[in-house]
Amino acid sequence: MGKLKSHYIPPIYLSDIKIANKDVPLGESGSALAKALNETEHLVLSHEQNFITISYAALDYAYPENIRYAFFLDGFDEEWIYVGRQRSATYTNLQKGTYTFRVRSTNSDGVWVDNERLLKITIQPSFWETPLAIVGYVVTLILLILVVGYILFTIYRLKNEVSVEQQVSDIKLRFFTDISHELRTPLTLIAGPM
């Protein structure tokens, strides 16, 4: 007579997270974890904290060596990754955005059960990708266009002023030339007979 398969559904415990292969301190100022990872539903990380390793375990003590795992990161993976007895998942170079980490397991008899565990993960954008930075870029571009426009307008105005001054100078020169010619001609006629 064969052994009956167990239908026990072991809960999955999220035991640890490492960022860039370093342990994350719990509850410290600036730490990604305010409380234990297993009690965390949503993890918010900076753009520099995009290399993570999540450790997990199914709590079935009958034959723990028979438990198999699979995980999936919504928004990153395309299908479930079956990893056998491996109890950690590593992701590198996660882009900004929101992901959902999903992990599930078999029980100690190797039967896949409905014990999926979720952890929402948000990678925040870097400062230069934030709406405030984009507004700054737009304002800077507008100011640059205005400054270039002002400089070009000033150059055009100065060229126009130089051209007008040149024309006025030419008119004055012609006027004095004509006056001197007009005065010299009668004087020459008067001085000639004398």
Side-chain angles (χ1 to χ4, degrees), residues 54-70:
I54 301 172
S55 298
Y56 46 82
L59 303 179
D60 188 345
Y61 302 107
Y63 297 101
E65 66 276 2
N66 293 340
I67 299 175
R68 303 291 181 258
Y69 298 93

Side-chain angles (χ1 to χ4, degrees), residues 77-113:
D77 293 325
E78 295 186 14
E79 58 186 39
W80 283 91
I81 299 170
Y82 293 89
V83 291
R85 289 185 283 215
Q86 179 182 321
R87 295 186 321 180
S88 66
T90 300
Y91 289 96
T92 60
N93 201 22
L94 291 173
Q95 299 298 315
K96 68 179 178 179
T98 300
Y99 304 92
T100 302
F101 177 72
R102 302 170 182 272
V103 61
R104 64 183 183 170
S105 74
T106 64
N107 59 20
S108 60
D109 285 334
V111 176
W112 286 99
V113 292

